[in-house]
Amino acid sequence: MKKMILALMCMIAPSVFAQNSAEETTVKKSCPFALDFNFNGTTENKGKQFLNSSVRLSYTPAWRLGVVGEVGSNLMLSDVNGNKDWDDALTLGGGLTFRLGDLEIDEETRQAFRFTLTATMGCTVDADDWNYTYYDAGLTIMPTAEYDWVGLNIGFRHCNSHNNAIKNYNGAYVGLTFKF
């Protein structure tokens, strides 16, 4: 529970200073659709660690709120009692995005960092050994000027196992987002 509260505090904290400059930053006109490629690595918990890659299609009809659909490939590495194993799975999911605001770092060029919260859930579609439902809460930090195609993901993932032999998983993740 303490880890979840800490993760939520880390995701909400940028909104405090991001709200101050959100109205001042000029917003460039862009398409409401975005295609992202994410690659995340998680912390180890109970001998399990995830490597996750996913393709997300998001639609943001409003200025801050949007919907997202994702297809992912997860690789679970496990080391339980010295037995090293791995399991891969295809996942399908969806969720909501909420743009917190922009933190301006250079007034002259209007360079800023954009903070976006994402909450997604999904489940495995093609898994050999471990079927699960996952819940993600993450924060994406993207620059809005020169390097606006690559950003940073941080967040928390909970996997609710559908198999009694394999326990649930909780872990923080860090990764990269590439926007197309």
Side-chain angles (χ1 to χ4, degrees), residues 30-47:
S30 61
C31 179
F33 289 98
L35 184 66
D36 300 340
F37 175 73
N38 298 308
F39 182 75
N40 300 319
T42 65
T43 58
E44 185 176 345
N45 185 0
K46 298 178 184 174

Side-chain angles (χ1 to χ4, degrees), residues 107-129:
E107 292 181 18
E108 292 178 12
T109 61
R110 295 288 190 190
Q111 291 182 356
F113 286 110
R114 178 163 293 155
F115 294 88
T116 305
L117 283 177
T118 304
T120 58
M121 68 172 290
C123 61
T124 55
V125 176
D126 180 26
D128 295 334
D129 298 326

